[in-house]
PDB file of all heavy atoms in Angstrom:
ATOM      1  N   ALA A   1       1.775   7.385   4.515  1.00  0.00           N
ATOM      2  CA  ALA A   1       2.640   6.260   4.091  1.00  0.00           C
ATOM      3  C   ALA A   1       2.226   5.835   2.722  1.00  0.00           C
ATOM      4  O   ALA A   1       3.116   5.390   1.945  1.00  0.00           O
ATOM      5  CB  ALA A   1       2.502   5.131   5.101  1.00  0.00           C
ATOM      6  N   ALA A   2       0.959   5.903   2.382  1.00  0.00           N
ATOM      7  CA  ALA A   2       0.440   5.443   1.063  1.00  0.00           C
ATOM      8  C   ALA A   2       1.232   6.247  -0.060  1.00  0.00           C
ATOM      9  O   ALA A   2       1.616   5.591  -1.067  1.00  0.00           O
ATOM     10  CB  ALA A   2      -1.000   5.584   0.980  1.00  0.00           C
ATOM     11  N   ARG A   3       1.368   7.542   0.115  1.00  0.00           N
ATOM     12  CA  ARG A   3       2.026   8.410  -0.912  1.00  0.00           C
ATOM     13  C   ARG A   3       3.462   7.917  -1.129  1.00  0.00           C
ATOM     14  O   ARG A   3       3.943   7.763  -2.261  1.00  0.00           O
ATOM     15  CB  ARG A   3       1.966   9.866  -0.463  1.00  0.00           C
ATOM     16  CG  ARG A   3       2.714  10.738  -1.447  1.00  0.00           C
ATOM     17  CD  ARG A   3       2.671  12.176  -0.903  1.00  0.00           C
ATOM     18  NE  ARG A   3       3.361  12.324   0.368  1.00  0.00           N
ATOM     19  CZ  ARG A   3       4.715  12.451   0.424  1.00  0.00           C
ATOM     20  NH1 ARG A   3       5.475  12.503  -0.645  1.00  0.00           N
ATOM     21  NH2 ARG A   3       5.304  12.593   1.634  1.00  0.00           N
ATOM     22  N   LEU A   4       4.151   7.578  -0.045  1.00  0.00           N
ATOM     23  CA  LEU A   4       5.584   7.213  -0.214  1.00  0.00           C
ATOM     24  C   LEU A   4       5.694   5.823  -0.799  1.00  0.00           C
ATOM     25  O   LEU A   4       6.571   5.589  -1.579  1.00  0.00           O
ATOM     26  CB  LEU A   4       6.222   7.188   1.171  1.00  0.00           C
ATOM     27  CG  LEU A   4       6.311   8.580   1.872  1.00  0.00           C
ATOM     28  CD1 LEU A   4       6.916   8.406   3.272  1.00  0.00           C
ATOM     29  CD2 LEU A   4       7.016   9.587   0.981  1.00  0.00           C
ATOM     30  N   VAL A   5       4.766   4.899  -0.458  1.00  0.00           N
ATOM     31  CA  VAL A   5       4.855   3.566  -1.075  1.00  0.00           C
ATOM     32  C   VAL A   5       4.521   3.723  -2.581  1.00  0.00           C
ATOM     33  O   VAL A   5       5.202   3.055  -3.447  1.00  0.00           O
ATOM     34  CB  VAL A   5       3.840   2.666  -0.381  1.00  0.00           C
ATOM     35  CG1 VAL A   5       3.648   1.346  -1.158  1.00  0.00           C
ATOM     36  CG2 VAL A   5       4.263   2.382   1.098  1.00  0.00           C
ATOM     37  N   LEU A   6       3.528   4.442  -2.957  1.00  0.00           N
ATOM     38  CA  LEU A   6       3.148   4.582  -4.313  1.00  0.00           C
ATOM     39  C   LEU A   6       4.249   5.247  -5.143  1.00  0.00           C
ATOM     40  O   LEU A   6       4.475   4.920  -6.277  1.00  0.00           O
ATOM     41  CB  LEU A   6       1.831   5.415  -4.502  1.00  0.00           C
ATOM     42  CG  LEU A   6       0.542   4.660  -4.014  1.00  0.00           C
ATOM     43  CD1 LEU A   6      -0.555   5.618  -3.940  1.00  0.00           C
ATOM     44  CD2 LEU A   6       0.210   3.530  -4.899  1.00  0.00           C
ATOM     45  N   ARG A   7       4.965   6.125  -4.510  1.00  0.00           N
ATOM     46  CA  ARG A   7       6.171   6.806  -5.214  1.00  0.00           C
ATOM     47  C   ARG A   7       7.196   5.789  -5.642  1.00  0.00           C
ATOM     48  O   ARG A   7       7.861   5.928  -6.689  1.00  0.00           O
ATOM     49  CB  ARG A   7       6.761   7.863  -4.272  1.00  0.00           C
ATOM     50  CG  ARG A   7       7.896   8.721  -4.861  1.00  0.00           C
ATOM     51  CD  ARG A   7       8.548   9.428  -3.795  1.00  0.00           C
ATOM     52  NE  ARG A   7       9.299   8.604  -2.878  1.00  0.00           N
ATOM     53  CZ  ARG A   7       9.832   9.072  -1.713  1.00  0.00           C
ATOM     54  NH1 ARG A   7       9.747  10.345  -1.413  1.00  0.00           N
ATOM     55  NH2 ARG A   7      10.433   8.232  -0.900  1.00  0.00           N
ATOM     56  N   ASP A   8       7.434   4.743  -4.769  1.00  0.00           N
ATOM     57  CA  ASP A   8       8.503   3.838  -5.069  1.00  0.00           C
ATOM     58  C   ASP A   8       7.960   2.489  -5.689  1.00  0.00           C
ATOM     59  O   ASP A   8       8.835   1.709  -6.053  1.00  0.00           O
ATOM     60  CB  ASP A   8       9.196   3.498  -3.746  1.00  0.00           C
ATOM     61  CG  ASP A   8       9.865   4.645  -3.172  1.00  0.00           C
ATOM     62  OD1 ASP A   8      10.270   5.619  -4.000  1.00  0.00           O
ATOM     63  OD2 ASP A   8      10.239   4.637  -1.974  1.00  0.00           O
ATOM     64  N   LEU A   9       6.725   2.345  -5.841  1.00  0.00           N
ATOM     65  CA  LEU A   9       6.211   0.993  -6.193  1.00  0.00           C
ATOM     66  C   LEU A   9       6.545   0.620  -7.650  1.00  0.00           C
ATOM     67  O   LEU A   9       6.458  -0.547  -8.030  1.00  0.00           O
ATOM     68  CB  LEU A   9       4.686   0.989  -5.961  1.00  0.00           C
ATOM     69  CG  LEU A   9       4.069  -0.345  -5.654  1.00  0.00           C
ATOM     70  CD1 LEU A   9       4.788  -1.169  -4.543  1.00  0.00           C
ATOM     71  CD2 LEU A   9       2.574  -0.179  -5.255  1.00  0.00           C
ATOM     72  N   HIS A  10       6.921   1.619  -8.460  1.00  0.00           N
ATOM     73  CA  HIS A  10       7.210   1.266  -9.901  1.00  0.00           C
ATOM     74  C   HIS A  10       8.406   0.323  -9.980  1.00  0.00           C
ATOM     75  O   HIS A  10       8.569  -0.342 -10.985  1.00  0.00           O
ATOM     76  CB  HIS A  10       7.588   2.539 -10.619  1.00  0.00           C
ATOM     77  CG  HIS A  10       8.813   3.220 -10.165  1.00  0.00           C
ATOM     78  ND1 HIS A  10       8.845   4.031  -9.044  1.00  0.00           N
ATOM     79  CD2 HIS A  10      10.040   3.207 -10.656  1.00  0.00           C
ATOM     80  CE1 HIS A  10      10.097   4.480  -8.933  1.00  0.00           C
ATOM     81  NE2 HIS A  10      10.835   3.977  -9.833  1.00  0.00           N
ATOM     82  N   ARG A  11       9.215   0.218  -8.913  1.00  0.00           N
ATOM     83  CA  ARG A  11      10.335  -0.690  -8.922  1.00  0.00           C
ATOM     84  C   ARG A  11       9.964  -2.138  -8.622  1.00  0.00           C
ATOM     85  O   ARG A  11      10.792  -3.010  -8.848  1.00  0.00           O
ATOM     86  CB  ARG A  11      11.411  -0.236  -7.914  1.00  0.00           C
ATOM     87  CG  ARG A  11      11.906   1.174  -8.167  1.00  0.00           C
ATOM     88  CD  ARG A  11      12.982   1.514  -7.081  1.00  0.00           C
ATOM     89  NE  ARG A  11      14.203   0.779  -7.249  1.00  0.00           N
ATOM     90  CZ  ARG A  11      15.138   0.633  -6.409  1.00  0.00           C
ATOM     91  NH1 ARG A  11      15.076   1.310  -5.241  1.00  0.00           N
ATOM     92  NH2 ARG A  11      16.244  -0.029  -6.651  1.00  0.00           N
ATOM     93  N   PHE A  12       8.770  -2.328  -8.057  1.00  0.00           N
ATOM     94  CA  PHE A  12       8.381  -3.642  -7.658  1.00  0.00           C
ATOM     95  C   PHE A  12       7.389  -4.237  -8.577  1.00  0.00           C
ATOM     96  O   PHE A  12       6.640  -3.592  -9.256  1.00  0.00           O
ATOM     97  CB  PHE A  12       7.782  -3.530  -6.239  1.00  0.00           C
ATOM     98  CG  PHE A  12       8.764  -3.024  -5.224  1.00  0.00           C
ATOM     99  CD1 PHE A  12       8.958  -1.691  -4.985  1.00  0.00           C
ATOM    100  CD2 PHE A  12       9.484  -3.992  -4.421  1.00  0.00           C
ATOM    101  CE1 PHE A  12       9.860  -1.203  -4.052  1.00  0.00           C
ATOM    102  CE2 PHE A  12      10.342  -3.546  -3.544  1.00  0.00           C
ATOM    103  CZ  PHE A  12      10.622  -2.162  -3.290  1.00  0.00           C
ATOM    104  N   ARG A  13       7.375  -5.650  -8.564  1.00  0.00           N
ATOM    105  CA  ARG A  13       6.417  -6.340  -9.384  1.00  0.00           C
ATOM    106  C   ARG A  13       5.068  -6.657  -8.705  1.00  0.00           C
ATOM    107  O   ARG A  13       4.168  -7.057  -9.388  1.00  0.00           O
ATOM    108  CB  ARG A  13       7.014  -7.681  -9.890  1.00  0.00           C
ATOM    109  CG  ARG A  13       8.240  -7.541 -10.764  1.00  0.00           C
ATOM    110  CD  ARG A  13       7.834  -7.021 -12.085  1.00  0.00           C
ATOM    111  NE  ARG A  13       7.010  -7.947 -12.821  1.00  0.00           N
ATOM    112  CZ  ARG A  13       7.275  -9.067 -13.476  1.00  0.00           C
ATOM    113  NH1 ARG A  13       8.566  -9.418 -13.421  1.00  0.00           N
ATOM    114  NH2 ARG A  13       6.341  -9.821 -13.974  1.00  0.00           N
ATOM    115  N   ALA A  14       5.092  -6.577  -7.333  1.00  0.00           N
ATOM    116  CA  ALA A  14       3.851  -6.894  -6.586  1.00  0.00           C
ATOM    117  C   ALA A  14       3.880  -6.305  -5.209  1.00  0.00           C
ATOM    118  O   ALA A  14       5.007  -5.831  -4.770  1.00  0.00           O
ATOM    119  CB  ALA A  14       3.668  -8.429  -6.474  1.00  0.00           C
ATOM    120  N   LEU A  15       2.774  -6.212  -4.590  1.00  0.00           N
ATOM    121  CA  LEU A  15       2.639  -5.557  -3.238  1.00  0.00           C
ATOM    122  C   LEU A  15       1.859  -6.597  -2.339  1.00  0.00           C
ATOM    123  O   LEU A  15       0.763  -6.992  -2.738  1.00  0.00           O
ATOM    124  CB  LEU A  15       1.958  -4.271  -3.327  1.00  0.00           C
ATOM    125  CG  LEU A  15       1.463  -3.631  -2.013  1.00  0.00           C
ATOM    126  CD1 LEU A  15       2.645  -3.175  -1.184  1.00  0.00           C
ATOM    127  CD2 LEU A  15       0.514  -2.387  -2.363  1.00  0.00           C
ATOM    128  N   ALA A  16       2.396  -6.851  -1.150  1.00  0.00           N
ATOM    129  CA  ALA A  16       1.594  -7.539  -0.155  1.00  0.00           C
ATOM    130  C   ALA A  16       1.253  -6.596   1.007  1.00  0.00           C
ATOM    131  O   ALA A  16       2.106  -5.943   1.525  1.00  0.00           O
ATOM    132  CB  ALA A  16       2.471  -8.756   0.360  1.00  0.00           C
ATOM    133  N   LEU A  17       0.010  -6.637   1.358  1.00  0.00           N
ATOM    134  CA  LEU A  17      -0.496  -5.580   2.297  1.00  0.00           C
ATOM    135  C   LEU A  17      -1.415  -6.148   3.345  1.00  0.00           C
ATOM    136  O   LEU A  17      -2.283  -7.009   3.176  1.00  0.00           O
ATOM    137  CB  LEU A  17      -1.346  -4.566   1.405  1.00  0.00           C
ATOM    138  CG  LEU A  17      -2.079  -3.497   2.125  1.00  0.00           C
ATOM    139  CD1 LEU A  17      -1.046  -2.486   2.666  1.00  0.00           C
ATOM    140  CD2 LEU A  17      -2.931  -2.709   1.027  1.00  0.00           C
ATOM    141  N   GLY A  18      -1.030  -5.899   4.618  1.00  0.00           N
ATOM    142  CA  GLY A  18      -2.077  -6.044   5.671  1.00  0.00           C
ATOM    143  C   GLY A  18      -1.703  -6.672   6.986  1.00  0.00           C
ATOM    144  O   GLY A  18      -2.141  -6.161   8.042  1.00  0.00           O
ATOM    145  N   PRO A  19      -0.888  -7.835   6.975  1.00  0.00           N
ATOM    146  CA  PRO A  19      -0.737  -8.469   8.325  1.00  0.00           C
ATOM    147  C   PRO A  19      -0.061  -7.564   9.350  1.00  0.00           C
ATOM    148  O   PRO A  19       0.968  -6.953   9.108  1.00  0.00           O
ATOM    149  CB  PRO A  19       0.192  -9.629   7.939  1.00  0.00           C
ATOM    150  CG  PRO A  19      -0.177  -9.965   6.570  1.00  0.00           C
ATOM    151  CD  PRO A  19      -0.433  -8.595   5.893  1.00  0.00           C
ATOM    152  N   GLY A  20      -0.749  -7.568  10.498  1.00  0.00           N
ATOM    153  CA  GLY A  20      -0.149  -6.834  11.677  1.00  0.00           C
ATOM    154  C   GLY A  20      -0.293  -5.312  11.599  1.00  0.00           C
ATOM    155  O   GLY A  20       0.327  -4.594  12.378  1.00  0.00           O
ATOM    156  N   LEU A  21      -0.982  -4.770  10.615  1.00  0.00           N
ATOM    157  CA  LEU A  21      -1.057  -3.303  10.428  1.00  0.00           C
ATOM    158  C   LEU A  21      -1.804  -2.618  11.586  1.00  0.00           C
ATOM    159  O   LEU A  21      -1.618  -1.443  11.794  1.00  0.00           O
ATOM    160  CB  LEU A  21      -1.735  -2.910   9.126  1.00  0.00           C
ATOM    161  CG  LEU A  21      -0.855  -3.023   7.898  1.00  0.00           C
ATOM    162  CD1 LEU A  21      -1.590  -2.582   6.659  1.00  0.00           C
ATOM    163  CD2 LEU A  21       0.418  -2.034   7.986  1.00  0.00           C
ATOM    164  N   GLY A  22      -2.771  -3.327  12.150  1.00  0.00           N
ATOM    165  CA  GLY A  22      -3.650  -2.723  13.156  1.00  0.00           C
ATOM    166  C   GLY A  22      -4.823  -2.066  12.507  1.00  0.00           C
ATOM    167  O   GLY A  22      -4.969  -2.061  11.289  1.00  0.00           O
ATOM    168  N   ARG A  23      -5.690  -1.425  13.287  1.00  0.00           N
ATOM    169  CA  ARG A  23      -6.999  -0.947  12.801  1.00  0.00           C
ATOM    170  C   ARG A  23      -7.224   0.552  13.053  1.00  0.00           C
ATOM    171  O   ARG A  23      -8.366   1.041  13.179  1.00  0.00           O
ATOM    172  CB  ARG A  23      -8.116  -1.788  13.343  1.00  0.00           C
ATOM    173  CG  ARG A  23      -7.975  -3.286  12.903  1.00  0.00           C
ATOM    174  CD  ARG A  23      -9.065  -4.144  13.424  1.00  0.00           C
ATOM    175  NE  ARG A  23      -8.869  -5.509  13.058  1.00  0.00           N
ATOM    176  CZ  ARG A  23      -9.677  -6.547  13.299  1.00  0.00           C
ATOM    177  NH1 ARG A  23     -10.746  -6.351  14.042  1.00  0.00           N
ATOM    178  NH2 ARG A  23      -9.454  -7.703  12.858  1.00  0.00           N
ATOM    179  N   ASP A  24      -6.208   1.312  13.089  1.00  0.00           N
ATOM    180  CA  ASP A  24      -6.252   2.727  13.262  1.00  0.00           C
ATOM    181  C   ASP A  24      -6.945   3.340  11.969  1.00  0.00           C
ATOM    182  O   ASP A  24      -6.738   2.851  10.867  1.00  0.00           O
ATOM    183  CB  ASP A  24      -4.822   3.317  13.443  1.00  0.00           C
ATOM    184  CG  ASP A  24      -4.855   4.808  13.791  1.00  0.00           C
ATOM    185  OD1 ASP A  24      -5.055   5.590  12.882  1.00  0.00           O
ATOM    186  OD2 ASP A  24      -4.643   5.133  14.985  1.00  0.00           O
ATOM    187  N   ASP A  25      -7.753   4.378  12.142  1.00  0.00           N
ATOM    188  CA  ASP A  25      -8.381   5.035  11.062  1.00  0.00           C
ATOM    189  C   ASP A  25      -7.385   5.481  10.013  1.00  0.00           C
ATOM    190  O   ASP A  25      -7.707   5.502   8.818  1.00  0.00           O
ATOM    191  CB  ASP A  25      -9.319   6.161  11.511  1.00  0.00           C
ATOM    192  CG  ASP A  25     -10.534   5.627  12.259  1.00  0.00           C
ATOM    193  OD1 ASP A  25     -10.870   4.449  12.106  1.00  0.00           O
ATOM    194  OD2 ASP A  25     -11.218   6.422  12.952  1.00  0.00           O
ATOM    195  N   ARG A  26      -6.263   6.045  10.472  1.00  0.00           N
ATOM    196  CA  ARG A  26      -5.316   6.592   9.523  1.00  0.00           C
ATOM    197  C   ARG A  26      -4.632   5.443   8.729  1.00  0.00           C
ATOM    198  O   ARG A  26      -4.315   5.594   7.616  1.00  0.00           O
ATOM    199  CB  ARG A  26      -4.252   7.355  10.314  1.00  0.00           C
ATOM    200  CG  ARG A  26      -4.720   8.663  10.904  1.00  0.00           C
ATOM    201  CD  ARG A  26      -3.932   9.173  12.125  1.00  0.00           C
ATOM    202  NE  ARG A  26      -4.174   8.359  13.292  1.00  0.00           N
ATOM    203  CZ  ARG A  26      -3.694   8.572  14.475  1.00  0.00           C
ATOM    204  NH1 ARG A  26      -2.901   9.672  14.670  1.00  0.00           N
ATOM    205  NH2 ARG A  26      -3.858   7.746  15.439  1.00  0.00           N
ATOM    206  N   THR A  27      -4.444   4.272   9.443  1.00  0.00           N
ATOM    207  CA  THR A  27      -3.993   3.183   8.667  1.00  0.00           C
ATOM    208  C   THR A  27      -4.984   2.678   7.631  1.00  0.00           C
ATOM    209  O   THR A  27      -4.601   2.387   6.472  1.00  0.00           O
ATOM    210  CB  THR A  27      -3.774   1.926   9.664  1.00  0.00           C
ATOM    211  OG1 THR A  27      -2.821   2.337  10.652  1.00  0.00           O
ATOM    212  CG2 THR A  27      -3.227   0.693   8.944  1.00  0.00           C
ATOM    213  N   ALA A  28      -6.256   2.705   7.958  1.00  0.00           N
ATOM    214  CA  ALA A  28      -7.300   2.340   7.061  1.00  0.00           C
ATOM    215  C   ALA A  28      -7.319   3.293   5.766  1.00  0.00           C
ATOM    216  O   ALA A  28      -7.514   2.826   4.629  1.00  0.00           O
ATOM    217  CB  ALA A  28      -8.616   2.331   7.685  1.00  0.00           C
ATOM    218  N   ALA A  29      -7.074   4.542   6.014  1.00  0.00           N
ATOM    219  CA  ALA A  29      -7.007   5.495   4.863  1.00  0.00           C
ATOM    220  C   ALA A  29      -5.816   5.170   3.971  1.00  0.00           C
ATOM    221  O   ALA A  29      -5.911   5.258   2.767  1.00  0.00           O
ATOM    222  CB  ALA A  29      -6.890   6.910   5.458  1.00  0.00           C
ATOM    223  N   ALA A  30      -4.673   4.860   4.557  1.00  0.00           N
ATOM    224  CA  ALA A  30      -3.477   4.434   3.755  1.00  0.00           C
ATOM    225  C   ALA A  30      -3.798   3.198   2.964  1.00  0.00           C
ATOM    226  O   ALA A  30      -3.429   3.093   1.763  1.00  0.00           O
ATOM    227  CB  ALA A  30      -2.271   4.255   4.686  1.00  0.00           C
ATOM    228  N   VAL A  31      -4.454   2.223   3.607  1.00  0.00           N
ATOM    229  CA  VAL A  31      -4.735   0.954   2.928  1.00  0.00           C
ATOM    230  C   VAL A  31      -5.713   1.255   1.749  1.00  0.00           C
ATOM    231  O   VAL A  31      -5.492   0.717   0.666  1.00  0.00           O
ATOM    232  CB  VAL A  31      -5.421  -0.026   3.875  1.00  0.00           C
ATOM    233  CG1 VAL A  31      -6.095  -1.156   3.145  1.00  0.00           C
ATOM    234  CG2 VAL A  31      -4.417  -0.580   4.854  1.00  0.00           C
ATOM    235  N   ALA A  32      -6.710   2.069   1.959  1.00  0.00           N
ATOM    236  CA  ALA A  32      -7.671   2.339   0.843  1.00  0.00           C
ATOM    237  C   ALA A  32      -6.966   2.928  -0.386  1.00  0.00           C
ATOM    238  O   ALA A  32      -7.195   2.602  -1.390  1.00  0.00           O
ATOM    239  CB  ALA A  32      -8.718   3.344   1.391  1.00  0.00           C
ATOM    240  N   ARG A  33      -6.069   3.890  -0.092  1.00  0.00           N
ATOM    241  CA  ARG A  33      -5.399   4.445  -1.233  1.00  0.00           C
ATOM    242  C   ARG A  33      -4.441   3.471  -1.978  1.00  0.00           C
ATOM    243  O   ARG A  33      -4.410   3.465  -3.226  1.00  0.00           O
ATOM    244  CB  ARG A  33      -4.524   5.723  -0.778  1.00  0.00           C
ATOM    245  CG  ARG A  33      -3.880   6.425  -1.979  1.00  0.00           C
ATOM    246  CD  ARG A  33      -3.190   7.692  -1.553  1.00  0.00           C
ATOM    247  NE  ARG A  33      -2.606   8.291  -2.792  1.00  0.00           N
ATOM    248  CZ  ARG A  33      -1.761   9.354  -2.725  1.00  0.00           C
ATOM    249  NH1 ARG A  33      -1.424   9.931  -1.553  1.00  0.00           N
ATOM    250  NH2 ARG A  33      -1.209   9.806  -3.864  1.00  0.00           N
ATOM    251  N   LEU A  34      -3.746   2.648  -1.206  1.00  0.00           N
ATOM    252  CA  LEU A  34      -2.882   1.634  -1.820  1.00  0.00           C
ATOM    253  C   LEU A  34      -3.684   0.657  -2.662  1.00  0.00           C
ATOM    254  O   LEU A  34      -3.308   0.297  -3.782  1.00  0.00           O
ATOM    255  CB  LEU A  34      -2.072   0.967  -0.790  1.00  0.00           C
ATOM    256  CG  LEU A  34      -0.949   1.749  -0.097  1.00  0.00           C
ATOM    257  CD1 LEU A  34      -0.371   0.918   1.073  1.00  0.00           C
ATOM    258  CD2 LEU A  34       0.119   2.119  -1.065  1.00  0.00           C
ATOM    259  N   VAL A  35      -4.762   0.203  -2.132  1.00  0.00           N
ATOM    260  CA  VAL A  35      -5.607  -0.700  -2.887  1.00  0.00           C
ATOM    261  C   VAL A  35      -6.148  -0.058  -4.133  1.00  0.00           C
ATOM    262  O   VAL A  35      -6.149  -0.738  -5.213  1.00  0.00           O
ATOM    263  CB  VAL A  35      -6.726  -1.260  -2.022  1.00  0.00           C
ATOM    264  CG1 VAL A  35      -7.791  -2.016  -2.837  1.00  0.00           C
ATOM    265  CG2 VAL A  35      -6.203  -2.114  -0.825  1.00  0.00           C
ATOM    266  N   ALA A  36      -6.556   1.138  -4.085  1.00  0.00           N
ATOM    267  CA  ALA A  36      -7.145   1.821  -5.214  1.00  0.00           C
ATOM    268  C   ALA A  36      -6.165   2.148  -6.256  1.00  0.00           C
ATOM    269  O   ALA A  36      -6.493   2.113  -7.469  1.00  0.00           O
ATOM    270  CB  ALA A  36      -7.873   3.093  -4.752  1.00  0.00           C
ATOM    271  N   GLU A  37      -4.911   2.445  -5.911  1.00  0.00           N
ATOM    272  CA  GLU A  37      -3.945   3.090  -6.814  1.00  0.00           C
ATOM    273  C   GLU A  37      -2.750   2.222  -7.118  1.00  0.00           C
ATOM    274  O   GLU A  37      -2.062   2.527  -8.143  1.00  0.00           O
ATOM    275  CB  GLU A  37      -3.503   4.436  -6.348  1.00  0.00           C
ATOM    276  CG  GLU A  37      -4.659   5.444  -6.158  1.00  0.00           C
ATOM    277  CD  GLU A  37      -4.131   6.758  -5.667  1.00  0.00           C
ATOM    278  OE1 GLU A  37      -2.934   7.125  -5.890  1.00  0.00           O
ATOM    279  OE2 GLU A  37      -4.937   7.456  -4.926  1.00  0.00           O
ATOM    280  N   ALA A  38      -2.385   1.160  -6.427  1.00  0.00           N
ATOM    281  CA  ALA A  38      -1.189   0.417  -6.616  1.00  0.00           C
ATOM    282  C   ALA A  38      -1.289  -0.128  -8.054  1.00  0.00           C
ATOM    283  O   ALA A  38      -2.155  -0.884  -8.388  1.00  0.00           O
ATOM    284  CB  ALA A  38      -1.022  -0.644  -5.683  1.00  0.00           C
ATOM    285  N   PRO A  39      -0.282   0.157  -8.925  1.00  0.00           N
ATOM    286  CA  PRO A  39      -0.319  -0.265 -10.285  1.00  0.00           C
ATOM    287  C   PRO A  39       0.058  -1.681 -10.552  1.00  0.00           C
ATOM    288  O   PRO A  39      -0.258  -2.208 -11.621  1.00  0.00           O
ATOM    289  CB  PRO A  39       0.693   0.634 -10.953  1.00  0.00           C
ATOM    290  CG  PRO A  39       1.648   0.979  -9.927  1.00  0.00           C
ATOM    291  CD  PRO A  39       0.868   1.018  -8.643  1.00  0.00           C
ATOM    292  N   CYS A  40       0.597  -2.389  -9.587  1.00  0.00           N
ATOM    293  CA  CYS A  40       1.047  -3.717  -9.700  1.00  0.00           C
ATOM    294  C   CYS A  40       0.078  -4.655  -9.045  1.00  0.00           C
ATOM    295  O   CYS A  40      -0.901  -4.261  -8.296  1.00  0.00           O
ATOM    296  CB  CYS A  40       2.380  -3.886  -9.006  1.00  0.00           C
ATOM    297  SG  CYS A  40       2.374  -3.422  -7.241  1.00  0.00           S
ATOM    298  N   PRO A  41       0.150  -5.996  -9.297  1.00  0.00           N
ATOM    299  CA  PRO A  41      -0.684  -6.958  -8.626  1.00  0.00           C
ATOM    300  C   PRO A  41      -0.524  -6.851  -7.086  1.00  0.00           C
ATOM    301  O   PRO A  41       0.557  -6.574  -6.543  1.00  0.00           O
ATOM    302  CB  PRO A  41      -0.194  -8.323  -9.114  1.00  0.00           C
ATOM    303  CG  PRO A  41       0.375  -8.029 -10.451  1.00  0.00           C
ATOM    304  CD  PRO A  41       1.020  -6.643 -10.211  1.00  0.00           C
ATOM    305  N   ILE A  42      -1.680  -7.012  -6.329  1.00  0.00           N
ATOM    306  CA  ILE A  42      -1.527  -6.917  -4.900  1.00  0.00           C
ATOM    307  C   ILE A  42      -2.307  -8.137  -4.236  1.00  0.00           C
ATOM    308  O   ILE A  42      -3.275  -8.626  -4.780  1.00  0.00           O
ATOM    309  CB  ILE A  42      -2.184  -5.575  -4.403  1.00  0.00           C
ATOM    310  CG1 ILE A  42      -3.658  -5.513  -4.715  1.00  0.00           C
ATOM    311  CG2 ILE A  42      -1.381  -4.454  -4.951  1.00  0.00           C
ATOM    312  CD1 ILE A  42      -4.347  -4.295  -4.087  1.00  0.00           C
ATOM    313  N   VAL A  43      -1.773  -8.444  -3.043  1.00  0.00           N
ATOM    314  CA  VAL A  43      -2.457  -9.386  -2.141  1.00  0.00           C
ATOM    315  C   VAL A  43      -2.819  -8.704  -0.879  1.00  0.00           C
ATOM    316  O   VAL A  43      -1.967  -8.013  -0.324  1.00  0.00           O
ATOM    317  CB  VAL A  43      -1.634 -10.672  -1.968  1.00  0.00           C
ATOM    318  CG1 VAL A  43      -0.260 -10.354  -1.431  1.00  0.00           C
ATOM    319  CG2 VAL A  43      -2.360 -11.605  -0.925  1.00  0.00           C
ATOM    320  N   VAL A  44      -4.072  -8.801  -0.432  1.00  0.00           N
ATOM    321  CA  VAL A  44      -4.517  -8.057   0.769  1.00  0.00           C
ATOM    322  C   VAL A  44      -5.032  -9.045   1.768  1.00  0.00           C
ATOM    323  O   VAL A  44      -5.888  -9.902   1.524  1.00  0.00           O
ATOM    324  CB  VAL A  44      -5.742  -7.126   0.323  1.00  0.00           C
ATOM    325  CG1 VAL A  44      -6.209  -6.310   1.430  1.00  0.00           C
ATOM    326  CG2 VAL A  44      -5.327  -6.248  -0.947  1.00  0.00           C
ATOM    327  N   ASP A  45      -4.581  -8.850   2.969  1.00  0.00           N
ATOM    328  CA  ASP A  45      -4.864  -9.810   4.081  1.00  0.00           C
ATOM    329  C   ASP A  45      -5.094  -9.105   5.437  1.00  0.00           C
ATOM    330  O   ASP A  45      -4.765  -7.907   5.484  1.00  0.00           O
ATOM    331  CB  ASP A  45      -3.665 -10.824   4.196  1.00  0.00           C
ATOM    332  CG  ASP A  45      -3.940 -11.917   5.192  1.00  0.00           C
ATOM    333  OD1 ASP A  45      -5.108 -12.287   5.401  1.00  0.00           O
ATOM    334  OD2 ASP A  45      -2.934 -12.478   5.724  1.00  0.00           O
ATOM    335  N   ALA A  46      -5.641  -9.816   6.380  1.00  0.00           N
ATOM    336  CA  ALA A  46      -5.701  -9.468   7.757  1.00  0.00           C
ATOM    337  C   ALA A  46      -6.262  -8.069   7.936  1.00  0.00           C
ATOM    338  O   ALA A  46      -7.393  -7.816   7.573  1.00  0.00           O
ATOM    339  CB  ALA A  46      -4.267  -9.601   8.323  1.00  0.00           C
TER     340      ALA A  46
END
């Protein structure tokens, strides 16, 4: 999912990430990549 989000994120001014995502290891890997690479301002929660 991180790859697909990053592919489209150039259209957005910001990213909000986290509430209700759950704690699956694969989810954590997606979160890690989005936090590291998202080019826009981000808010990270939950």
